[in-house]
Amino acid sequence: MSADYLDLPQLLRARGTIQLPGSKSISNRVLLLAALADGATELYDLLVSDDTRRMLDALDRLGVRVEQFGETDFRVHGVGGRFPVSQADLFLGNAGTAFRPLTAVLALAGGEYRLSGVSRMHERPIGDLVDGLRQIGGRVRHLARDGYPPLAISPPEATRANRVRLRGDVSSQFISGLLIALPLRGVETTIEVLGDLISRPYVEITLATMARFGVTVVRDGWRAFSVPAGSVYRSPGTVHVEGDASSASYFLALGAIGGGPLRVTGVGSDSIQGDVRFADALQQMGARVSRGADWIESRSPADVREEGVRLHGIDLDCNHIPDAAMTLASAALFADGPTMLRNIASWRVKETDRLAAMARELRKLGALVDEGADFLRIVPPPGGLSPAAIDTYDDHRMAMSFSLAALGTPLRINDPQVVAKTFPDFFARLAELGDPVPVIAIDGSSASGKGTIAARVARALGWHYLDSGSLYRLTALAAWRAGASLDDEGRMAEIAAGLDAEFNGELIRLSGEDVSDAIRSEEISTAASRVAALPAVRTALLFRQRAFRRRPGLVADGRDMGSVVFPDAALKVFLTASLEVRALRRHKQLMGKGIAASIENLLLDLSARDERDSQRSVAPMQQGRDAELLDTTNLTIDTAVAQVLDWVKTAPKIG
Ligand code: DC
């Protein structure tokens, strides 16, 4: 199922334990090495996600037999360096960890292959790797733009060349891909790295996994790597894949900001992944971190304050943790000063231009951001984070790193399904670890007393209050003032989405003007009930309502608070009262404001609105099965408030 957005409630705190999914980098490397090896290899705890699916699909097309014997366990029957299929067309999506090494391996494998991906993959450079392969006889052609996929590969030319000179400052995956492929040549071959090598820890992962499959690379620091003559991959029998250290970063940051303790298992001090050093950076920001061989745990700094934790801003060269550094960018929102992330130019050639995307989205939350060619400087918003709808740019790490902001504000994540690239159940796991700001939903018919009761309950608890009906009333008033037709659904939704409304206690302003009384007139009440029946208006107002859910809690009244807007409310109450009593109450209210009204007309109006509110196609007013029924016909406000507060005491999700 794919949804267009996911609304995250603000989280009060986060703690617990999470078993990490397998590492993407290790999973795709071991799959390819196991395929190239002599003999069968059993892989345990492999990552099952879009990116590893791409590699599995490709291996299948190349004739490699792979069996799945557990949810995350696979048996790969190695082909001893010769793929059974020598002509294939491979589609690799946006999986860089599949595309780069397969390009190198297939260029030396001796067949006719075609490699393509999604359009973003075709914007990610690969020219340096292709040049490198050509230096040792590889015949690789760019099918569209020079330097970029898609590619066509033919069997290599015979050559005695045994040296590849390769730039190290665009993507370390070029070096990793070549290293993995070189044993196919049989002769000693050396890669000479030109310039600085970025993202070195990923090359370390490559060297470590190759060693596990019996190939030892001889190296001269970071300048040259030689694969000896006669190197062949041999199955080690079984391989256990470590948890993903980049995925760990989101949860470690969550614990550091949200109190903790939050423990990730599957990576720890024994890890071969460079991104485990993300925990050091968090420590520099003031988080308390502890580690074991295969776990890491984070907690907030000792001096936790009620209104959210403050980490310290840092100035860091992120070359050693390029992926996890994105998590630092969103953790920087919770710092007490600016954070400077340096040496992150490689972000520009990832799933999206991450430097630009990060800067744009951080600003939506209120941060001041300086975007340089290869750095990002983030000044956290002084007044706390603002609710925002975050775009994810088809980039899993955008979605996951921004979800941290939920510790500071309600948040909308657009296209949340992008996490499937590396972490399909990310949001479900997040929900298990974070405690959302509690909501009390009070729904019911017009003049049932819900507004008064809800506001009093909010005051008694010291919580925020949302009068959701006022948003429909404001929409109706704004439409009336604009001379727009209430039947024009598109226009009504536009007006609802663009409401310039301000709430301050009892006072409600529309474009700066006090309209607290104007929205309560009978005409506007009727018009509000009509616009409220338009699905597009309800959709347009959804996130605006959810944005009221700020710490320490929210009491919200309306018709669909418990059913649609806050289905996870800690307490749901449904208020009713007889039609006669409600008409009398409304009459008294209007007279008090000096507005003339007749009881007969009010009876008619109220029953017409009840009818419309409960019969409409979307979010009709009705008592949910999980809601407490409170009939206020014979109750004073005080008794009704006392009853709700009594229920609050026993609600399990509050406190
Ligand atoms: O609660 P109220 O009378 O101020 O609501 C005004 C109108 O808005 C009412 O006719 C029902 C509609 N409404 C709604 O459909 N959903 C809500 N959550 C709140 C109000």
Side-chain angles (χ1 to χ4, degrees), residues 443-447 450 467-470 472-473 519-520 524-526 528-533 538 545 557-561 565 586 609 612-613 616 618-619:
D443 288 306
S445 45
S446 299
K450 59 186 185 338
D467 161 14
S468 63
S470 69
Y472 295 97
R473 291 172 179 273
I519 59 167
R520 305 284 161 201
I524 293 299
S525 297
T526 304
S529 159
R530 280 177 59 194
V531 300
R538 304 200 75 85
Q545 296 172 80
D557 84 57
R559 304 294 184 289
D560 60 345
M561 296 299 97
V565 184
R586 182 68 97 204
R609 268 154 64 194
R612 192 164 29 229
D613 292 346
R616 66 184 175 219
V618 283

Side-chain angles (χ1 to χ4, degrees), residues 463-482:
W463 288 11
H464 301 280
Y465 167 57
L466 164 64
D467 161 14
S468 63
S470 69
L471 290 169
Y472 295 97
R473 291 172 179 273
L474 283 165
T475 304
L477 181 67
W480 183 71
R481 289 187 171 175

